[in-house]
Amino acid sequence: MSDAKAATNAHLAPYQARGLKGRIFSGVQPTGNLHLGNYLGAIRNFVALQDSYECIYCVVDLHAITVWQDPAELAKQTREIAAAYLAAGVDGSKHIVFNQSSVPAHAQLAWVFNCVARLGWLNRMTQFKEKAGKDRENVSTGLYAYPNLMAADILAYKATHVPVGEDQKQHLELTRDIAIKFNNDFGVPDFFPITEPLIFGEATRVMSLRDGTKKMSKSDPSDYSRIVLTDDADAIAQKIRKAKTDPLPMPDTVADAEKRPEADNLLGIYAALSDSSKEDIVSAFAGQQFSAFKSALTDLAVAKLGPMGAEMQRLMADPGHVDAVMRDGAARAHALAQPILDEVYRTVGFLRP
Ligand code: TYM
């Protein structure tokens, strides 16, 4: 067994003794309307993991300001993401739901990690390259150091598992590198766990409805590229009707689908929403016209997303409950993170006179 694996296992023992598989941490940025990719790639899995892990679900407002956010919008969207967690089925009394800036340990540990991570590691981050684009000289230094803060989010709780969509995989590899380097540099071999990513389901990378080669994203200028969780039935129907497809009938095999990005994307969405496999959906619709498939997909999406959107609106109309859940979550998160941060500070050699 590798050293990294042994270290992970050592951290699991206390959870296993409680009948749990470990501790989960994950987060979503409050930077725009939540879309189907966020739901199928992440939030849906947050809900599924609640029975077997201790879970900490965060709204990462510190990450959000790495690009400009209107302050009033940021506050509103922070609440909205927390409402989405609850509306999707996260149990905020059993698990922890809170916003990142309410727990100082995230920013404090991130500074230590700014001094552990190497420039060369961050230079390789593809998400930074994509987000910075050609205007690299003008982006915030926060955007560059973003993955270090993400490592701090996870390791402030010594989380053992992190459910995310596929686009976060490289950031989680960096988190592992930071944990290993910290443990080695300071001679504390088992201090931070070597976190495992949990990337699962039939829609780990949902693509734009307008272009099957581009990821569905909050920042795409076209509203028709994504279904958002608060879309009503008409909006969902219209977006699916207009979704780009190719001129051929529905594919016969998964291998055929995989050569046709738009068909593959819609089949993956259907499979994920119906809790089935892509194989099953391909065989159910093989050879049919896209119009029939799209109308079945619309019914499914409206049935699955409609009640969640309505619950989000209900929670947002009277935000007292969401705020109370976040306040209580922040207090519990702080109680978990502070002793870990204190130990990091002692390990690094910060004097507490
Ligand atoms: P964010 O806010 O961009 O996305 C939130 C979650 O949604 C997933 N996701 C997708 N999954 C499938 N298909 C898509 N098109 C799609 N778009 C987004 C993301 O993978 C993510 O799981 N850096 C993170 C937030 C973060 C975090 C963390 C996550 C901050 N600290 C610690 C885990 C652990 C982000 O920007 O996610």
Side-chain angles (χ1 to χ4, degrees), residues 25-27 29 35 37-38 41-42 63 146 150 153 164-165 167-168 204-206 215-216 218:
F25 182 97
S26 197
Q29 295 195 73
H35 55 69
N38 300 129
H63 277 107
Y146 179 114
M150 194 164 151
D153 295 341
V164 281
D167 61 341
Q168 296 301 314
T204 56
R205 187 175 176 82
V206 177
K215 192 180 70 169
M216 183 177 284
K218 294 173 195 152

mmCIF file with all atom_site columns, all heavy atoms in Angstrom, residues 25-27 29 35 37-38 41-42 63 146 150 153 164-165 167-168 204-206 215-216 218, ligand 1:
data_model
loop_
_atom_site.group_PDB
_atom_site.id
_atom_site.type_symbol
_atom_site.label_atom_id
_atom_site.label_alt_id
_atom_site.label_comp_id
_atom_site.label_asym_id
_atom_site.label_entity_id
_atom_site.label_seq_id
_atom_site.pdbx_PDB_ins_code
_atom_site.Cartn_x
_atom_site.Cartn_y
_atom_site.Cartn_z
_atom_site.occupancy
_atom_site.B_iso_or_equiv
_atom_site.pdbx_formal_charge
_atom_site.auth_seq_id
_atom_site.auth_comp_id
_atom_site.auth_asym_id
_atom_site.auth_atom_id
_atom_site.pdbx_PDB_model_num
ATOM   1   N N   . PHE A 1 25  ? -16.407 17.278 2.399   1.00 0.00 ? 25  PHE A N   1
ATOM   2   C CA  . PHE A 1 25  ? -16.528 18.729 2.251   1.00 0.00 ? 25  PHE A CA  1
ATOM   3   C C   . PHE A 1 25  ? -16.768 19.021 0.780   1.00 0.00 ? 25  PHE A C   1
ATOM   4   O O   . PHE A 1 25  ? -16.108 18.438 -0.091  1.00 0.00 ? 25  PHE A O   1
ATOM   5   C CB  . PHE A 1 25  ? -15.254 19.464 2.700   1.00 0.00 ? 25  PHE A CB  1
ATOM   6   C CG  . PHE A 1 25  ? -15.405 20.960 2.598   1.00 0.00 ? 25  PHE A CG  1
ATOM   7   C CD1 . PHE A 1 25  ? -15.750 21.713 3.705   1.00 0.00 ? 25  PHE A CD1 1
ATOM   8   C CD2 . PHE A 1 25  ? -15.248 21.614 1.374   1.00 0.00 ? 25  PHE A CD2 1
ATOM   9   C CE1 . PHE A 1 25  ? -15.950 23.090 3.605   1.00 0.00 ? 25  PHE A CE1 1
ATOM   10  C CE2 . PHE A 1 25  ? -15.443 22.992 1.267   1.00 0.00 ? 25  PHE A CE2 1
ATOM   11  C CZ  . PHE A 1 25  ? -15.784 23.734 2.385   1.00 0.00 ? 25  PHE A CZ  1
ATOM   12  N N   . SER A 1 26  ? -17.705 19.921 0.477   1.00 0.00 ? 26  SER A N   1
ATOM   13  C CA  . SER A 1 26  ? -17.784 20.424 -0.889  1.00 0.00 ? 26  SER A CA  1
ATOM   14  C C   . SER A 1 26  ? -18.397 21.816 -0.883  1.00 0.00 ? 26  SER A C   1
ATOM   15  O O   . SER A 1 26  ? -18.956 22.258 0.129   1.00 0.00 ? 26  SER A O   1
ATOM   16  C CB  . SER A 1 26  ? -18.580 19.482 -1.806  1.00 0.00 ? 26  SER A CB  1
ATOM   17  O OG  . SER A 1 26  ? -18.290 19.817 -3.161  1.00 0.00 ? 26  SER A OG  1
ATOM   18  N N   . GLY A 1 27  ? -18.263 22.499 -2.018  1.00 0.00 ? 27  GLY A N   1
ATOM   19  C CA  . GLY A 1 27  ? -18.759 23.877 -2.083  1.00 0.00 ? 27  GLY A CA  1
ATOM   20  C C   . GLY A 1 27  ? -19.193 24.263 -3.475  1.00 0.00 ? 27  GLY A C   1
ATOM   21  O O   . GLY A 1 27  ? -18.832 23.627 -4.464  1.00 0.00 ? 27  GLY A O   1
ATOM   22  N N   . GLN A 1 29  ? -19.878 28.038 -5.770  1.00 0.00 ? 29  GLN A N   1
ATOM   23  C CA  . GLN A 1 29  ? -19.700 29.494 -5.768  1.00 0.00 ? 29  GLN A CA  1
ATOM   24  C C   . GLN A 1 29  ? -21.038 30.207 -5.983  1.00 0.00 ? 29  GLN A C   1
ATOM   25  O O   . GLN A 1 29  ? -21.782 29.831 -6.891  1.00 0.00 ? 29  GLN A O   1
ATOM   26  C CB  . GLN A 1 29  ? -18.795 29.917 -6.911  1.00 0.00 ? 29  GLN A CB  1
ATOM   27  C CG  . GLN A 1 29  ? -17.391 29.418 -6.813  1.00 0.00 ? 29  GLN A CG  1
ATOM   28  C CD  . GLN A 1 29  ? -16.502 30.180 -7.786  1.00 0.00 ? 29  GLN A CD  1
ATOM   29  O OE1 . GLN A 1 29  ? -16.181 31.342 -7.581  1.00 0.00 ? 29  GLN A OE1 1
ATOM   30  N NE2 . GLN A 1 29  ? -16.123 29.525 -8.851  1.00 0.00 ? 29  GLN A NE2 1
ATOM   31  N N   . HIS A 1 35  ? -27.146 25.863 -12.291 1.00 0.00 ? 35  HIS A N   1
ATOM   32  C CA  . HIS A 1 35  ? -27.655 25.212 -13.495 1.00 0.00 ? 35  HIS A CA  1
ATOM   33  C C   . HIS A 1 35  ? -27.648 23.688 -13.336 1.00 0.00 ? 35  HIS A C   1
ATOM   34  O O   . HIS A 1 35  ? -27.179 23.154 -12.323 1.00 0.00 ? 35  HIS A O   1
ATOM   35  C CB  . HIS A 1 35  ? -26.870 25.670 -14.723 1.00 0.00 ? 35  HIS A CB  1
ATOM   36  C CG  . HIS A 1 35  ? -25.386 25.479 -14.612 1.00 0.00 ? 35  HIS A CG  1
ATOM   37  N ND1 . HIS A 1 35  ? -24.793 24.242 -14.609 1.00 0.00 ? 35  HIS A ND1 1
ATOM   38  C CD2 . HIS A 1 35  ? -24.376 26.383 -14.490 1.00 0.00 ? 35  HIS A CD2 1
ATOM   39  C CE1 . HIS A 1 35  ? -23.490 24.376 -14.505 1.00 0.00 ? 35  HIS A CE1 1
ATOM   40  N NE2 . HIS A 1 35  ? -23.198 25.658 -14.423 1.00 0.00 ? 35  HIS A NE2 1
ATOM   41  N N   . GLY A 1 37  ? -25.847 21.458 -14.626 1.00 0.00 ? 37  GLY A N   1
ATOM   42  C CA  . GLY A 1 37  ? -24.520 20.881 -14.412 1.00 0.00 ? 37  GLY A CA  1
ATOM   43  C C   . GLY A 1 37  ? -24.161 20.878 -12.935 1.00 0.00 ? 37  GLY A C   1
ATOM   44  O O   . GLY A 1 37  ? -23.698 19.866 -12.401 1.00 0.00 ? 37  GLY A O   1
ATOM   45  N N   . ASN A 1 38  ? -24.407 21.996 -12.257 1.00 0.00 ? 38  ASN A N   1
ATOM   46  C CA  . ASN A 1 38  ? -24.130 22.059 -10.817 1.00 0.00 ? 38  ASN A CA  1
ATOM   47  C C   . ASN A 1 38  ? -24.970 21.028 -10.069 1.00 0.00 ? 38  ASN A C   1
ATOM   48  O O   . ASN A 1 38  ? -24.506 20.401 -9.115  1.00 0.00 ? 38  ASN A O   1
ATOM   49  C CB  . ASN A 1 38  ? -24.469 23.441 -10.234 1.00 0.00 ? 38  ASN A CB  1
ATOM   50  C CG  . ASN A 1 38  ? -23.698 24.580 -10.864 1.00 0.00 ? 38  ASN A CG  1
ATOM   51  O OD1 . ASN A 1 38  ? -24.275 25.574 -11.282 1.00 0.00 ? 38  ASN A OD1 1
ATOM   52  N ND2 . ASN A 1 38  ? -22.390 24.441 -10.969 1.00 0.00 ? 38  ASN A ND2 1
ATOM   53  N N   . GLY A 1 41  ? -23.873 17.272 -11.466 1.00 0.00 ? 41  GLY A N   1
ATOM   54  C CA  . GLY A 1 41  ? -22.466 16.964 -11.191 1.00 0.00 ? 41  GLY A CA  1
ATOM   55  C C   . GLY A 1 41  ? -22.139 17.007 -9.706  1.00 0.00 ? 41  GLY A C   1
ATOM   56  O O   . GLY A 1 41  ? -21.216 16.325 -9.260  1.00 0.00 ? 41  GLY A O   1
ATOM   57  N N   . ALA A 1 42  ? -22.890 17.814 -8.939  1.00 0.00 ? 42  ALA A N   1
ATOM   58  C CA  . ALA A 1 42  ? -22.489 18.014 -7.540  1.00 0.00 ? 42  ALA A CA  1
ATOM   59  C C   . ALA A 1 42  ? -23.652 17.889 -6.554  1.00 0.00 ? 42  ALA A C   1
ATOM   60  O O   . ALA A 1 42  ? -23.706 16.952 -5.758  1.00 0.00 ? 42  ALA A O   1
ATOM   61  C CB  . ALA A 1 42  ? -21.814 19.386 -7.401  1.00 0.00 ? 42  ALA A CB  1
ATOM   62  N N   . HIS A 1 63  ? -14.312 32.552 -2.599  1.00 0.00 ? 63  HIS A N   1
ATOM   63  C CA  . HIS A 1 63  ? -13.919 32.216 -3.972  1.00 0.00 ? 63  HIS A CA  1
ATOM   64  C C   . HIS A 1 63  ? -14.623 33.115 -4.993  1.00 0.00 ? 63  HIS A C   1
ATOM   65  O O   . HIS A 1 63  ? -14.040 33.488 -6.006  1.00 0.00 ? 63  HIS A O   1
ATOM   66  C CB  . HIS A 1 63  ? -14.244 30.748 -4.292  1.00 0.00 ? 63  HIS A CB  1
ATOM   67  C CG  . HIS A 1 63  ? -13.200 29.789 -3.813  1.00 0.00 ? 63  HIS A CG  1
ATOM   68  N ND1 . HIS A 1 63  ? -13.376 28.956 -2.746  1.00 0.00 ? 63  HIS A ND1 1
ATOM   69  C CD2 . HIS A 1 63  ? -11.959 29.547 -4.263  1.00 0.00 ? 63  HIS A CD2 1
ATOM   70  C CE1 . HIS A 1 63  ? -12.286 28.242 -2.564  1.00 0.00 ? 63  HIS A CE1 1
ATOM   71  N NE2 . HIS A 1 63  ? -11.411 28.574 -3.475  1.00 0.00 ? 63  HIS A NE2 1
ATOM   72  N N   . TYR A 1 146 ? -6.590  30.866 -6.083  1.00 0.00 ? 146 TYR A N   1
ATOM   73  C CA  . TYR A 1 146 ? -7.880  30.201 -5.855  1.00 0.00 ? 146 TYR A CA  1
ATOM   74  C C   . TYR A 1 146 ? -7.738  28.740 -5.408  1.00 0.00 ? 146 TYR A C   1
ATOM   75  O O   . TYR A 1 146 ? -8.352  28.311 -4.426  1.00 0.00 ? 146 TYR A O   1
ATOM   76  C CB  . TYR A 1 146 ? -8.648  30.316 -7.174  1.00 0.00 ? 146 TYR A CB  1
ATOM   77  C CG  . TYR A 1 146 ? -10.007 29.717 -7.270  1.00 0.00 ? 146 TYR A CG  1
ATOM   78  C CD1 . TYR A 1 146 ? -11.124 30.524 -7.448  1.00 0.00 ? 146 TYR A CD1 1
ATOM   79  C CD2 . TYR A 1 146 ? -10.206 28.337 -7.246  1.00 0.00 ? 146 TYR A CD2 1
ATOM   80  C CE1 . TYR A 1 146 ? -12.383 29.975 -7.591  1.00 0.00 ? 146 TYR A CE1 1
ATOM   81  C CE2 . TYR A 1 146 ? -11.453 27.792 -7.371  1.00 0.00 ? 146 TYR A CE2 1
ATOM   82  C CZ  . TYR A 1 146 ? -12.545 28.604 -7.547  1.00 0.00 ? 146 TYR A CZ  1
ATOM   83  O OH  . TYR A 1 146 ? -13.790 28.061 -7.673  1.00 0.00 ? 146 TYR A OH  1
ATOM   84  N N   . MET A 1 150 ? -9.095  26.621 -1.998  1.00 0.00 ? 150 MET A N   1
ATOM   85  C CA  . MET A 1 150 ? -9.931  25.418 -2.102  1.00 0.00 ? 150 MET A CA  1
ATOM   86  C C   . MET A 1 150 ? -9.310  24.281 -1.257  1.00 0.00 ? 150 MET A C   1
ATOM   87  O O   . MET A 1 150 ? -10.029 23.558 -0.551  1.00 0.00 ? 150 MET A O   1
ATOM   88  C CB  . MET A 1 150 ? -10.029 25.031 -3.569  1.00 0.00 ? 150 MET A CB  1
ATOM   89  C CG  . MET A 1 150 ? -11.090 24.043 -3.832  1.00 0.00 ? 150 MET A CG  1
ATOM   90  S SD  . MET A 1 150 ? -11.469 23.979 -5.596  1.00 0.00 ? 150 MET A SD  1
ATOM   91  C CE  . MET A 1 150 ? -11.983 22.277 -5.666  1.00 0.00 ? 150 MET A CE  1
ATOM   92  N N   . ASP A 1 153 ? -10.179 25.003 2.283   1.00 0.00 ? 153 ASP A N   1
ATOM   93  C CA  . ASP A 1 153 ? -11.575 24.658 2.607   1.00 0.00 ? 153 ASP A CA  1
ATOM   94  C C   . ASP A 1 153 ? -11.670 23.206 3.067   1.00 0.00 ? 153 ASP A C   1
ATOM   95  O O   . ASP A 1 153 ? -12.321 22.880 4.061   1.00 0.00 ? 153 ASP A O   1
ATOM   96  C CB  . ASP A 1 153 ? -12.467 24.761 1.356   1.00 0.00 ? 153 ASP A CB  1
ATOM   97  C CG  . ASP A 1 153 ? -12.578 26.165 0.812   1.00 0.00 ? 153 ASP A CG  1
ATOM   98  O OD1 . ASP A 1 153 ? -12.291 27.116 1.549   1.00 0.00 ? 153 ASP A OD1 1
ATOM   99  O OD2 . ASP A 1 153 ? -12.954 26.291 -0.378  1.00 0.00 ? 153 ASP A OD2 1
ATOM   100 N N   . VAL A 1 164 ? -17.507 16.320 -6.421  1.00 0.00 ? 164 VAL A N   1
ATOM   101 C CA  . VAL A 1 164 ? -17.447 17.451 -7.366  1.00 0.00 ? 164 VAL A CA  1
ATOM   102 C C   . VAL A 1 164 ? -17.747 16.940 -8.772  1.00 0.00 ? 164 VAL A C   1
ATOM   103 O O   . VAL A 1 164 ? -17.740 15.739 -9.028  1.00 0.00 ? 164 VAL A O   1
ATOM   104 C CB  . VAL A 1 164 ? -16.035 18.097 -7.415  1.00 0.00 ? 164 VAL A CB  1
ATOM   105 C CG1 . VAL A 1 164 ? -15.790 19.025 -6.244  1.00 0.00 ? 164 VAL A CG1 1
ATOM   106 C CG2 . VAL A 1 164 ? -14.947 17.057 -7.531  1.00 0.00 ? 164 VAL A CG2 1
ATOM   107 N N   . GLY A 1 165 ? -17.951 17.877 -9.689  1.00 0.00 ? 165 GLY A N   1
ATOM   108 C CA  . GLY A 1 165 ? -18.003 17.552 -11.109 1.00 0.00 ? 165 GLY A CA  1
ATOM   109 C C   . GLY A 1 165 ? -16.576 17.387 -11.629 1.00 0.00 ? 165 GLY A C   1
ATOM   110 O O   . GLY A 1 165 ? -15.607 17.738 -10.940 1.00 0.00 ? 165 GLY A O   1
ATOM   111 N N   . ASP A 1 167 ? -14.804 18.927 -13.717 1.00 0.00 ? 167 ASP A N   1
ATOM   112 C CA  . ASP A 1 167 ? -13.943 20.102 -13.931 1.00 0.00 ? 167 ASP A CA  1
ATOM   113 C C   . ASP A 1 167 ? -13.098 20.462 -12.709 1.00 0.00 ? 167 ASP A C   1
ATOM   114 O O   . ASP A 1 167 ? -12.168 21.258 -12.826 1.00 0.00 ? 167 ASP A O   1
ATOM   115 C CB  . ASP A 1 167 ? -14.792 21.308 -14.375 1.00 0.00 ? 167 ASP A CB  1
ATOM   116 C CG  . ASP A 1 167 ? -15.822 21.712 -13.328 1.00 0.00 ? 167 ASP A CG  1
ATOM   117 O OD1 . ASP A 1 167 ? -16.140 20.896 -12.449 1.00 0.00 ? 167 ASP A OD1 1
ATOM   118 O OD2 . ASP A 1 167 ? -16.309 22.850 -13.400 1.00 0.00 ? 167 ASP A OD2 1
ATOM   119 N N   . GLN A 1 168 ? -13.404 19.897 -11.545 1.00 0.00 ? 168 GLN A N   1
ATOM   120 C CA  . GLN A 1 168 ? -12.640 20.235 -10.335 1.00 0.00 ? 168 GLN A CA  1
ATOM   121 C C   . GLN A 1 168 ? -11.529 19.234 -10.017 1.00 0.00 ? 168 GLN A C   1
ATOM   122 O O   . GLN A 1 168 ? -10.838 19.358 -9.011  1.00 0.00 ? 168 GLN A O   1
ATOM   123 C CB  . GLN A 1 168 ? -13.587 20.340 -9.126  1.00 0.00 ? 168 GLN A CB  1
ATOM   124 C CG  . GLN A 1 168 ? -14.603 21.458 -9.249  1.00 0.00 ? 168 GLN A CG  1
ATOM   125 C CD  . GLN A 1 168 ? -13.938 22.814 -9.397  1.00 0.00 ? 168 GLN A CD  1
ATOM   126 O OE1 . GLN A 1 168 ? -13.005 23.153 -8.684  1.00 0.00 ? 168 GLN A OE1 1
ATOM   127 N NE2 . GLN A 1 168 ? -14.407 23.603 -10.366 1.00 0.00 ? 168 GLN A NE2 1
ATOM   128 N N   . THR A 1 204 ? -21.212 13.804 -15.084 1.00 0.00 ? 204 THR A N   1
ATOM   129 C CA  . THR A 1 204 ? -20.148 14.451 -14.309 1.00 0.00 ? 204 THR A CA  1
ATOM   130 C C   . THR A 1 204 ? -19.613 15.683 -15.038 1.00 0.00 ? 204 THR A C   1
ATOM   131 O O   . THR A 1 204 ? -18.905 16.488 -14.468 1.00 0.00 ? 204 THR A O   1
ATOM   132 C CB  . THR A 1 204 ? -18.984 13.478 -14.050 1.00 0.00 ? 204 THR A CB  1
ATOM   133 O OG1 . THR A 1 204 ? -18.533 12.987 -15.318 1.00 0.00 ? 204 THR A OG1 1
ATOM   134 C CG2 . THR A 1 204 ? -19.420 12.320 -13.190 1.00 0.00 ? 204 THR A CG2 1
ATOM   135 N N   . ARG A 1 205 ? -19.946 15.782 -16.326 1.00 0.00 ? 205 ARG A N   1
ATOM   136 C CA  . ARG A 1 205 ? -19.572 16.971 -17.110 1.00 0.00 ? 205 ARG A CA  1
ATOM   137 C C   . ARG A 1 205 ? -20.712 17.275 -18.084 1.00 0.00 ? 205 ARG A C   1
ATOM   138 O O   . ARG A 1 205 ? -20.751 16.751 -19.197 1.00 0.00 ? 205 ARG A O   1
ATOM   139 C CB  . ARG A 1 205 ? -18.267 16.677 -17.863 1.00 0.00 ? 205 ARG A CB  1
ATOM   140 C CG  . ARG A 1 205 ? -17.699 17.871 -18.567 1.00 0.00 ? 205 ARG A CG  1
ATOM   141 C CD  . ARG A 1 205 ? -16.331 17.536 -19.189 1.00 0.00 ? 205 ARG A CD  1
ATOM   142 N NE  . ARG A 1 205 ? -15.818 18.650 -19.936 1.00 0.00 ? 205 ARG A NE  1
ATOM   143 C CZ  . ARG A 1 205 ? -15.180 19.692 -19.406 1.00 0.00 ? 205 ARG A CZ  1
ATOM   144 N NH1 . ARG A 1 205 ? -14.952 19.743 -18.122 1.00 0.00 ? 205 ARG A NH1 1
ATOM   145 N NH2 . ARG A 1 205 ? -14.764 20.676 -20.154 1.00 0.00 ? 205 ARG A NH2 1
ATOM   146 N N   . VAL A 1 206 ? -21.659 18.089 -17.624 1.00 0.00 ? 206 VAL A N   1
ATOM   147 C CA  . VAL A 1 206 ? -22.806 18.445 -18.462 1.00 0.00 ? 206 VAL A CA  1
ATOM   148 C C   . VAL A 1 206 ? -22.358 19.544 -19.424 1.00 0.00 ? 206 VAL A C   1
ATOM   149 O O   . VAL A 1 206 ? -21.698 20.498 -19.016 1.00 0.00 ? 206 VAL A O   1
ATOM   150 C CB  . VAL A 1 206 ? -23.992 18.938 -17.585 1.00 0.00 ? 206 VAL A CB  1
ATOM   151 C CG1 . VAL A 1 206 ? -25.159 19.376 -18.455 1.00 0.00 ? 206 VAL A CG1 1
ATOM   152 C CG2 . VAL A 1 206 ? -24.422 17.838 -16.620 1.00 0.00 ? 206 VAL A CG2 1
ATOM   153 N N   . LYS A 1 215 ? -18.484 23.212 -21.890 1.00 0.00 ? 215 LYS A N   1
ATOM   154 C CA  . LYS A 1 215 ? -19.119 22.880 -20.608 1.00 0.00 ? 215 LYS A CA  1
ATOM   155 C C   . LYS A 1 215 ? -20.297 23.815 -20.329 1.00 0.00 ? 215 LYS A C   1
ATOM   156 O O   . LYS A 1 215 ? -20.209 25.006 -20.620 1.00 0.00 ? 215 LYS A O   1
ATOM   157 C CB  . LYS A 1 215 ? -18.042 23.038 -19.526 1.00 0.00 ? 215 LYS A CB  1
ATOM   158 C CG  . LYS A 1 215 ? -18.381 22.481 -18.181 1.00 0.00 ? 215 LYS A CG  1
ATOM   159 C CD  . LYS A 1 215 ? -17.232 22.716 -17.211 1.00 0.00 ? 215 LYS A CD  1
ATOM   160 C CE  . LYS A 1 215 ? -17.104 24.183 -16.867 1.00 0.00 ? 215 LYS A CE  1
ATOM   161 N NZ  . LYS A 1 215 ? -16.191 24.460 -15.751 1.00 0.00 ? 215 LYS A NZ  1
ATOM   162 N N   . MET A 1 216 ? -21.379 23.277 -19.779 1.00 0.00 ? 216 MET A N   1
ATOM   163 C CA  . MET A 1 216 ? -22.471 24.145 -19.316 1.00 0.00 ? 216 MET A CA  1
ATOM   164 C C   . MET A 1 216 ? -21.923 25.005 -18.187 1.00 0.00 ? 216 MET A C   1
ATOM   165 O O   . MET A 1 216 ? -21.323 24.465 -17.250 1.00 0.00 ? 216 MET A O   1
ATOM   166 C CB  . MET A 1 216 ? -23.661 23.304 -18.821 1.00 0.00 ? 216 MET A CB  1
ATOM   167 C CG  . MET A 1 216 ? -24.850 24.146 -18.406 1.00 0.00 ? 216 MET A CG  1
ATOM   168 S SD  . MET A 1 216 ? -26.292 23.152 -17.904 1.00 0.00 ? 216 MET A SD  1
ATOM   169 C CE  . MET A 1 216 ? -26.954 22.581 -19.446 1.00 0.00 ? 216 MET A CE  1
ATOM   170 N N   . LYS A 1 218 ? -22.135 28.912 -15.718 1.00 0.00 ? 218 LYS A N   1
ATOM   171 C CA  . LYS A 1 218 ? -22.907 30.079 -15.273 1.00 0.00 ? 218 LYS A CA  1
ATOM   172 C C   . LYS A 1 218 ? -22.540 31.301 -16.097 1.00 0.00 ? 218 LYS A C   1
ATOM   173 O O   . LYS A 1 218 ? -23.313 32.244 -16.189 1.00 0.00 ? 218 LYS A O   1
ATOM   174 C CB  . LYS A 1 218 ? -22.589 30.383 -13.806 1.00 0.00 ? 218 LYS A CB  1
ATOM   175 C CG  . LYS A 1 218 ? -23.026 29.327 -12.809 1.00 0.00 ? 218 LYS A CG  1
ATOM   176 C CD  . LYS A 1 218 ? -22.484 29.682 -11.417 1.00 0.00 ? 218 LYS A CD  1
ATOM   177 C CE  . LYS A 1 218 ? -22.563 28.524 -10.447 1.00 0.00 ? 218 LYS A CE  1
ATOM   178 N NZ  . LYS A 1 218 ? -21.539 28.549 -9.404  1.00 0.00 ? 218 LYS A NZ  1
HETATM 179 P P1  . TYM B 2 .   ? -18.545 25.787 -9.099  1.00 0.00 ? 1   TYM B P1  1
HETATM 180 O O1  . TYM B 2 .   ? -19.287 26.774 -8.275  1.00 0.00 ? 1   TYM B O1  1
HETATM 181 O O2  . TYM B 2 .   ? -18.015 26.218 -10.412 1.00 0.00 ? 1   TYM B O2  1
HETATM 182 O O3  . TYM B 2 .   ? -19.435 24.515 -9.368  1.00 0.00 ? 1   TYM B O3  1
HETATM 183 C C1  . TYM B 2 .   ? -20.065 23.824 -8.298  1.00 0.00 ? 1   TYM B C1  1
HETATM 184 C C2  . TYM B 2 .   ? -20.057 22.335 -8.563  1.00 0.00 ? 1   TYM B C2  1
HETATM 185 O O4  . TYM B 2 .   ? -20.722 22.054 -9.802  1.00 0.00 ? 1   TYM B O4  1
HETATM 186 C C3  . TYM B 2 .   ? -19.880 21.267 -10.619 1.00 0.00 ? 1   TYM B C3  1
HETATM 187 N N1  . TYM B 2 .   ? -20.120 21.648 -12.024 1.00 0.00 ? 1   TYM B N1  1
HETATM 188 C C4  . TYM B 2 .   ? -20.459 20.789 -12.989 1.00 0.00 ? 1   TYM B C4  1
HETATM 189 N N2  . TYM B 2 .   ? -20.668 19.451 -12.979 1.00 0.00 ? 1   TYM B N2  1
HETATM 190 C C5  . TYM B 2 .   ? -21.037 18.869 -14.146 1.00 0.00 ? 1   TYM B C5  1
HETATM 191 N N3  . TYM B 2 .   ? -21.200 19.552 -15.311 1.00 0.00 ? 1   TYM B N3  1
HETATM 192 C C6  . TYM B 2 .   ? -21.001 20.885 -15.368 1.00 0.00 ? 1   TYM B C6  1
HETATM 193 N N4  . TYM B 2 .   ? -21.176 21.550 -16.505 1.00 0.00 ? 1   TYM B N4  1
HETATM 194 C C7  . TYM B 2 .   ? -20.610 21.561 -14.169 1.00 0.00 ? 1   TYM B C7  1
HETATM 195 N N5  . TYM B 2 .   ? -20.342 22.863 -13.874 1.00 0.00 ? 1   TYM B N5  1
HETATM 196 C C8  . TYM B 2 .   ? -20.036 22.891 -12.562 1.00 0.00 ? 1   TYM B C8  1
HETATM 197 C C9  . TYM B 2 .   ? -18.465 21.605 -10.199 1.00 0.00 ? 1   TYM B C9  1
HETATM 198 O O5  . TYM B 2 .   ? -17.559 20.596 -10.540 1.00 0.00 ? 1   TYM B O5  1
HETATM 199 C C10 . TYM B 2 .   ? -18.638 21.759 -8.694  1.00 0.00 ? 1   TYM B C10 1
HETATM 200 O O6  . TYM B 2 .   ? -18.567 20.507 -8.071  1.00 0.00 ? 1   TYM B O6  1
HETATM 201 N N6  . TYM B 2 .   ? -14.006 25.529 -7.080  1.00 0.00 ? 1   TYM B N6  1
HETATM 202 C C11 . TYM B 2 .   ? -15.353 25.063 -6.926  1.00 0.00 ? 1   TYM B C11 1
HETATM 203 C C12 . TYM B 2 .   ? -15.991 25.417 -5.603  1.00 0.00 ? 1   TYM B C12 1
HETATM 204 C C13 . TYM B 2 .   ? -15.193 25.033 -4.401  1.00 0.00 ? 1   TYM B C13 1
HETATM 205 C C14 . TYM B 2 .   ? -15.053 23.719 -3.894  1.00 0.00 ? 1   TYM B C14 1
HETATM 206 C C15 . TYM B 2 .   ? -14.233 23.858 -2.728  1.00 0.00 ? 1   TYM B C15 1
HETATM 207 C C16 . TYM B 2 .   ? -15.504 22.479 -4.296  1.00 0.00 ? 1   TYM B C16 1
HETATM 208 C C17 . TYM B 2 .   ? -14.514 25.867 -3.587  1.00 0.00 ? 1   TYM B C17 1
HETATM 209 N N7  . TYM B 2 .   ? -13.937 25.167 -2.572  1.00 0.00 ? 1   TYM B N7  1
HETATM 210 C C18 . TYM B 2 .   ? -13.881 22.743 -1.960  1.00 0.00 ? 1   TYM B C18 1
HETATM 211 C C19 . TYM B 2 .   ? -15.148 21.367 -3.535  1.00 0.00 ? 1   TYM B C19 1
HETATM 212 C C20 . TYM B 2 .   ? -14.340 21.496 -2.392  1.00 0.00 ? 1   TYM B C20 1
HETATM 213 C C21 . TYM B 2 .   ? -16.195 25.686 -8.029  1.00 0.00 ? 1   TYM B C21 1
HETATM 214 O O7  . TYM B 2 .   ? -15.862 26.693 -8.597  1.00 0.00 ? 1   TYM B O7  1
HETATM 215 O O8  . TYM B 2 .   ? -17.372 25.109 -8.238  1.00 0.00 ? 1   TYM B O8  1
#
